Amino acid sequence: MALVCGGRLWLRWPRPPVAQATSVVTAPVTTGAATTAAAAPKPVPAAPAFQIPVEYYTLPNGLRVVLSPDHTAPTATVAAYYAVGFRTEPRNRTGFAHLFEHLMFQGSQNLGKNEFIGLIQKNGGALNGSTRFDFTNYYEVVPAHKLETILWAEADRMRGLAITQANLTNQQGVVKSEVRVNVLNQPYGSFPWIDMPMKANKNWNNAHNFYGDLADLDAANLSDVKAFFKTYYAPNNAVLAVVGDFDPAEAKAWVQKYYGNIPSAPQPPKPDLTEPRQEKEQRFSQDDKLATKPALAFAYHMPERNTPEYYALVMLDQILLQGNDSRLYQALVQKRGYSDAVRGGINYLGNQFNYNGPMLWMGDLVYDPTVQADSVVRVLDQEINQLATKGIDQATLDLAMVKIRSALYDQVSGSDNFGRADLLASFALFDNDPSRINRLESEFRNVTPELMQKTIREFLRPTNRTIITVNPLAKS
């Protein structure tokens, strides 16, 4: 399987929607001189806004279900999200959440090894699974007339996984090979997507090697796997999202038929993920025997998710880091030629919406050996300080809004509907409110230039920052 943790996942957003439109009230626009009340201009008609249909309910066993019909194409997407990820795996079992993701493709009660994958592919579908900070997900995209078949197959995995020593031993070897190939034997292999959370965070849940220590992977045993499955893969720890060309009443009947009698399980207390406020800049340097050029990554602790400052920092990410028009690309690449690219964003293992807990706003670049790391940091400080001192005018804020709006509608209108399913499942899992998907744009429109400056001063201060530099040891 192609797994998210096999490398960075740049989940940006695919093309604008072509679906039902409803009306939303927007601020009326007036032009010209002031008019009297008798001659007041007629309000401008409300602009059409894209509204995603959301039906949300919970089965008696605790399974949360989100249905979102979209008849644009004759396909259906099924996404099963389990509330267990890197942050909630057991201590001394680093990489266990990822290992378990592999095991979910090894067979179930009615489908043997590789038969789940074969069932999807033989019906013209596509599938994948991934492990993230706060969830593990599995999704399938199939022709619409195969929706019932896929609901049955996904439920068969939730009902009873084929947990055997042979499967465990096999997948331990696969995951260890993946670690060696994708991380240990690649230049910048763990930089900065694994390295930075381990350096910037203090809480073990947020700061351990989530890809997996080889010794910890070897130590996992069959009883660990059985207990993990029984606890975390229970319906009351999961969300099922169904998006695409289907009849909601028919889909509800199938969900009840195949998932309704899967038993729930007691859930352990949620781990404390809180991070202390960072009061001093942290700097680290590490050697890379395979790298030929130096590299630098910076990270700032994010505001709490869904707060006004959170939305402001998402907009600052657009201004500072996203696209060739961003301040850091222009300053570091176009103006000074330090590098050919500056990458980054919020949540390197997904996007700014599909996480739940402490997060970092992060950027990284591989730069010319003639450049000093302090020169890169100086430019970073200059661009942030300029916004902090001069402020952000409305035109800049409006441009950031255009970029966010375009990206958001790209995500929720992709041809495979995965982007929409991802947001619906994430908001159900973390907020118990998948309809949040229709309020995101208005939340960003509430951000003001004053809030942007307040957010810069509190969250983009140097004392809230961690920097990692890579010292290249390979010859070019």
Side-chain angles (χ1 to χ4, degrees), residues 439-456:
R439 301 195 301 274
L440 290 174
E441 183 178 341
S442 63
E443 294 285 3
F444 286 114
R445 291 194 181 280
N446 289 333
V447 175
T448 64
E450 293 76 20
L451 177 60
M452 296 282 271
Q453 277 193 287
K454 175 186 174 186
T455 303
I456 292 170

Side-chain angles (χ1 to χ4, degrees), residues 261-338:
N261 61 356
I262 300 175
S264 60
Q267 292 299 302
K270 298 295 183 185
D272 178 10
L273 301 178
T274 56
E275 286 288 332
R277 188 176 190 270
Q278 186 174 330
E279 301 287 1
K280 183 179 180 181
E281 183 186 64
Q282 303 180 99
R283 293 206 182 196
F284 302 92
S285 179
Q286 59 195 44
D287 293 339
D288 190 329
K289 64 181 181 181
L290 300 176
T292 58
K293 290 185 177 181
L296 181 144
F298 57 85
Y300 298 78
H301 292 281
M302 284 282 295
E304 184 179 347
R305 184 172 163 271
N306 299 342
T307 60
E309 291 80 6
Y310 158 83
Y311 290 104
L313 212 152
V314 174
M315 297 192 79
L316 284 165
D317 173 53
Q318 292 291 333
I319 295 168
L320 284 165
L321 203 51
Q322 300 306 320
N324 290 353
D325 64 337
S326 66
R327 300 295 179 92
L328 290 175
Y329 181 89
Q330 289 293 315
L332 291 166
V333 179
Q334 293 291 88
K335 183 177 180 180
R336 294 173 177 83
Y338 287 175

Side-chain angles (χ1 to χ4, degrees), residues 106-424:
Q106 298 307 299
S108 54
Q109 286 184 349
N110 295 290
L111 291 169
K113 189 178 180 72
N114 295 323
E115 288 183 2
F116 184 94
I117 297 172
L119 178 67
I120 310 299
Q121 294 177 340
K122 288 173 183 176
N123 282 290
L127 74 160
N128 211 337
S130 67
T131 312
R132 313 289 183 88
F133 284 112
D134 301 293
F135 63 82
T136 306
N137 68 343
Y138 307 89
Y139 75 92
E140 302 82 39
V141 184
V142 294
H145 69 283
K146 287 295 180 180
L147 174 59
E148 182 182 8
T149 302
I150 302 314
L151 286 171
W152 166 81
E154 193 63 80
D156 200 55
R157 295 202 288 188
M158 183 185 289
R159 184 184 307 279
L161 189 65
I163 300 175
T164 67
Q165 186 60 54
N167 283 343
L168 174 59
T169 301
N170 174 267
Q171 291 308 305
Q172 283 172 314
V174 170
V175 173
K176 287 191 294 182
S177 177
E178 188 178 313
V179 172
R180 291 189 185 99
V181 170
N182 293 335
V183 177
L184 301 180
N185 293 317
Q186 291 287 336
Y188 320 105
S190 60
F191 173 85
W193 64 295
I194 295 176
D195 299 333
M196 185 60 82
M198 295 176 67
K199 299 295 188 184
N201 295 317
K202 301 303 180 186
N203 184 327
W204 180 90
N205 293 285
N206 307 314
H208 68 276
N209 177 7
F210 52 75
Y211 206 55
D213 181 272
L214 297 184
D216 282 354
L217 289 169
D218 278 332
N221 57 50
L222 204 58
S223 62
D224 291 333
V225 174
K226 290 179 179 178
F228 193 93
F229 178 76
K230 183 177 181 180
T231 301
Y232 295 110
Y233 278 69
N236 53 317
N237 195 47
V239 167
L240 179 72
V242 184
V243 181
D245 188 18
F246 62 87
D247 173 72
E250 193 171 45
K252 289 180 78 170
W254 290 334
V255 169
Q256 178 61 43
K257 179 180 179 180
Y258 299 118
Y259 289 87
N261 61 356
I262 300 175
S264 60
Q267 292 299 302
K270 298 295 183 185
D272 178 10
L273 301 178
T274 56
E275 286 288 332
R277 188 176 190 270
Q278 186 174 330
E279 301 287 1
K280 183 179 180 181
E281 183 186 64
Q282 303 180 99
R283 293 206 182 196
F284 302 92
S285 179
Q286 59 195 44
D287 293 339
D288 190 329
K289 64 181 181 181
L290 300 176
T292 58
K293 290 185 177 181
L296 181 144
F298 57 85
Y300 298 78
H301 292 281
M302 284 282 295
E304 184 179 347
R305 184 172 163 271
N306 299 342
T307 60
E309 291 80 6
Y310 158 83
Y311 290 104
L313 212 152
V314 174
M315 297 192 79
L316 284 165
D317 173 53
Q318 292 291 333
I319 295 168
L320 284 165
L321 203 51
Q322 300 306 320
N324 290 353
D325 64 337
S326 66
R327 300 295 179 92
L328 290 175
Y329 181 89
Q330 289 293 315
L332 291 166
V333 179
Q334 293 291 88
K335 183 177 180 180
R336 294 173 177 83
Y338 287 175
S339 176
D340 63 354
V342 181
R343 295 164 291 270
I346 299 164
N347 185 11
Y348 268 37
L349 295 177
N351 58 54
Q352 55 264 64
F353 303 118
N354 61 3
Y355 71 89
N356 188 38
M359 186 49 65
L360 301 168
W361 176 63
M362 188 158 60
D364 69 276
L365 68 158
V366 176
Y367 57 92
D368 192 278
T370 61
V371 176
Q372 297 297 313
D374 283 346
S375 298
V376 176
V377 176
R378 193 176 302 116
V379 173
L380 172 64
D381 284 335
Q382 288 171 355
E383 294 302 318
I384 292 174
N385 290 339
Q386 186 176 40
L387 294 179
T389 55
K390 295 185 177 180
I392 297 172
D393 58 28
Q394 190 61 47
T396 302
L397 197 61
D398 290 344
L399 178 58
M401 186 66 215
V402 169
K403 292 169 69 176
I404 282 174
R405 191 172 186 271
S406 174
L408 175 62
Y409 286 137
D410 275 351
Q411 178 167 8
V412 300
S413 63
S415 59
D416 63 3
N417 267 324
F418 172 68
R420 183 183 304 189
D422 176 65
L423 291 189
L424 290 170

Side-chain angles (χ1 to χ4, degrees), residues 10-148:
W10 301 107
L11 190 59
R12 295 303 175 210
W13 295 321
R15 274 172 309 268
V18 185
Q20 307 117 323
T22 58
S23 294
V24 63
V25 177
T26 58
V29 178
T30 58
T31 57
T35 58
T36 64
K42 295 180 180 179
V44 176
F50 182 58
Q51 288 285 304
I52 293 171
V54 178
E55 182 174 358
Y56 183 45
Y57 63 99
T58 304
L59 296 182
N61 62 6
L63 177 67
R64 286 162 283 177
V65 183
V66 189
L67 304 180
S68 183
D70 176 10
H71 304 294
T72 306
T75 62
T77 299
V78 174
Y81 278 51
Y82 295 89
V84 58
F86 299 131
R87 297 198 233 237
T88 50
E89 61 188 7
R91 285 181 179 266
N92 302 319
R93 292 292 183 269
T94 60
F96 199 82
H98 175 211
L99 170 64
F100 205 89
E101 175 211 323
H102 280 249
L103 290 170
M104 281 288 281
F105 291 95
Q106 298 307 299
S108 54
Q109 286 184 349
N110 295 290
L111 291 169
K113 189 178 180 72
N114 295 323
E115 288 183 2
F116 184 94
I117 297 172
L119 178 67
I120 310 299
Q121 294 177 340
K122 288 173 183 176
N123 282 290
L127 74 160
N128 211 337
S130 67
T131 312
R132 313 289 183 88
F133 284 112
D134 301 293
F135 63 82
T136 306
N137 68 343
Y138 307 89
Y139 75 92
E140 302 82 39
V141 184
V142 294
H145 69 283
K146 287 295 180 180
L147 174 59
E148 182 182 8

